[in-house]
Amino acid sequence: GGGIIGCACAYYLSREGVGVHLVERGPLAGGASGAGEGGIAPPERPGIQARLARATALLYQALVEELPLDIEYRKKGTLYLAESEEDWRCAEEACARMQTEGERCELLTPSQVVDLEPHVARDIAGGAFYPDGGQVNPHLVTIGLAQGARARGAVIQTFTEVTGMELSPRNGAVMAVKTARSRIPAGAVINAAGAWSNALGKMVGLNIPVVPRKGHIVVTEPTPPIIHCTTVTEVGYVRASLSGEQALFVTLETEQPPSGNLLLGMSREFVGFDCSVSPGVVRAIISRHLRFFPANSGIHVIRTYAGLRPYSPDSVPIISEAETVPGFYIATGHEGEGITLAPITGKLIAQMITGQEPDLPLGELALARFVHSG
């Protein structure tokens, strides 16, 4: 896979001197990595997700200096808006939890929200501000990681589809990857195929419980600075991302990268591998944005697109070696946090393959958690 996860794995493995051959059936960042907004989310949930987010924040700061491209890294904070009193209570609970875990978080009154974001509607209940929220350009990060890996000897092969795997008849370990072009001998194989991870897993007899979850992005014409934080979203965004319900969710998420365009989201729905743009969902995203930013009604939309996030049943990524297929590793299931968690995912995979002590405990990230739970 040649998305941000696969390229992060290639980068950190090549830094360890491992020979890497990355295979991608389309262009780099051609899947979810190229269809995201680029927000680096704060650690919104306690436990392993928070530890992953904290670890990756440090790695992004290093990548700014290491990668050969300007990845447009910015850190101006994430603002969560509370539309109602119920949302406000959820924001209070989340902020208190983050503070208990040592994270910086501040509750804001409606007037303080307006001071921070002057274009916000005046009838909201308040907000919560995470000053460590950031943003990158996901295309540039993905390509930068690939270039960094290539500079250390990695082979980056795009527009090449994997057609099968060869396993050892002796112990079932991976031996090679077969593509439409060639056979690639391998001592280890990493499945970083995103929403298509289960299809790749079936090639070695594994059921990887990852399914596509569609999301839309709406892009406006460039404007002078309107959004002052890195990301402005709403409290309901976290609930929507954690929910496994089949119904369509549309919540506010807005970013304004250096280009000046507004990136509007966010939608979540289970519709299989359908990547077509739904006019109804686009209208709902725009309507949700104007609920919180009514002054932006005169800005023109110039394009829309949709992508497929890799969703796991417990909303926690799978970063794991397969117990039953030696040498087969899985790096998938990040849903909407692939950009946020890509660096630490790549580093953990590299540590597993090279036999190093991992930076974080891997038990909660193992594929086996689904097998053992039945």
Side-chain angles (χ1 to χ4, degrees):
I4 195 168
I5 300 295
C7 289
C9 293
Y11 177 76
Y12 284 100
L13 279 165
S14 65
R15 280 179 31 139
E16 297 295 328
V18 177
V20 175
H21 194 132
L22 185 148
V23 179
E24 163 58 44
R25 70 175 180 178
L28 295 179
S33 301
E37 291 181 309
I40 303 173
E44 298 157 347
R45 286 176 277 167
I48 188 62
Q49 293 286 75
R51 294 196 292 274
L52 289 167
R54 283 192 288 268
T56 211
L58 298 175
L59 293 175
Y60 262 121
Q61 294 175 24
L63 289 174
V64 170
E65 304 297 329
E66 295 171 9
L67 296 186
L69 296 177
D70 176 8
I71 61 175
E72 297 181 359
Y73 174 78
R74 303 181 305 144
K75 189 173 78 170
K76 298 194 297 181
T78 298
L79 174 62
Y80 285 89
L81 300 177
E83 182 180 18
S84 63
E85 290 301 321
E86 179 184 0
D87 287 342
W88 172 252
R89 289 190 292 273
C90 291
E92 283 184 308
E93 294 172 2
C95 200
R97 184 178 65 247
M98 291 297 101
Q99 290 171 344
T100 300
E101 296 186 1
E103 298 295 329
R104 297 195 297 165
C105 174
E106 179 184 1
L107 286 172
L108 303 180
T109 64
S111 62
Q112 289 173 321
V113 169
V114 173
D115 289 341
L116 191 61
E117 289 289 349
H119 293 87
V120 168
R122 301 306 196 258
D123 61 342
I124 61 170
F129 180 60
Y130 298 83
D132 295 318
Q135 183 190 41
V136 292
N137 183 316
H139 291 86
L140 293 177
V141 175
T142 304
I143 294 169
L145 289 165
Q147 289 184 355
R150 185 185 284 117
R152 293 171 171 81
V155 175
I156 309 294
Q157 190 173 4
T158 54
F159 298 98
T160 303
E161 186 168 359
V162 172
T163 58
M165 307 272 181
E166 287 186 19
L167 303 182
S168 167
R170 181 176 59 85
N171 61 0
V174 291
M175 294 177 58
V177 172
K178 293 185 286 187
T179 76
R181 299 184 183 185
S182 64
R183 175 185 181 274
I184 306 170
V189 172
I190 304 161
N191 179 353
W196 293 267
S197 298
N198 192 33
L200 208 63
K202 287 180 179 177
M203 293 180 183
V204 296
L206 290 176
N207 178 34
I208 300 172
V210 167
V211 297
R213 198 178 196 187
K214 184 176 178 178
H216 286 68
I217 297 291
V218 177
V219 185
T220 76
E221 62 186 329
T223 75
I226 294 175
I227 306 299
H228 296 85
C229 297
T230 307
T231 305
V232 180
T233 184
E234 62 176 297
V235 173
Y237 174 89
V238 179
R239 292 198 298 272
S241 66
L242 294 177
S243 171
E245 294 183 17
Q246 298 295 312
L248 169 69
F249 281 94
V250 175
T251 55
L252 171 77
E253 180 162 292
T254 302
E255 297 175 6
Q256 189 171 25
S259 64
N261 308 82
L262 296 181
L263 305 181
L264 313 182
M266 180 64 69
S267 69
R268 280 177 160 83
E269 55 183 328
F270 294 101
V271 290
F273 288 92
D274 175 13
C275 278
S276 63
V277 171
S278 166
V281 176
V282 170
R283 285 193 295 270
I285 288 173
I286 294 171
S287 176
R288 197 64 186 155
H289 176 81
L290 294 179
R291 159 65 185 96
F292 291 95
F293 291 93
N296 292 346
S297 59
I299 299 173
H300 295 96
V301 169
I302 60 172
R303 65 188 178 101
T304 63
Y305 53 88
L308 302 175
R309 308 178 186 91
Y311 173 84
S312 74
D314 58 3
S315 298
V316 175
I318 305 169
I319 307 172
S320 169
E321 183 177 13
E323 290 185 348
T324 58
V325 187
F328 190 83
Y329 294 82
I330 302 136
T332 189
H334 296 73
E335 215 264 358
E337 295 186 321
I339 294 164
T340 296
L341 303 181
I344 188 59
T345 299
K347 188 176 183 184
L348 288 171
I349 289 288
Q351 289 171 333
M352 281 189 273
I353 289 176
T354 57
Q356 301 178 52
E357 182 71 22
D359 285 358
L360 295 170
L362 301 173
E364 294 177 72
L365 305 171
L367 175 65
R369 70 185 188 264
F370 300 111
V371 177
H372 293 161
S373 65

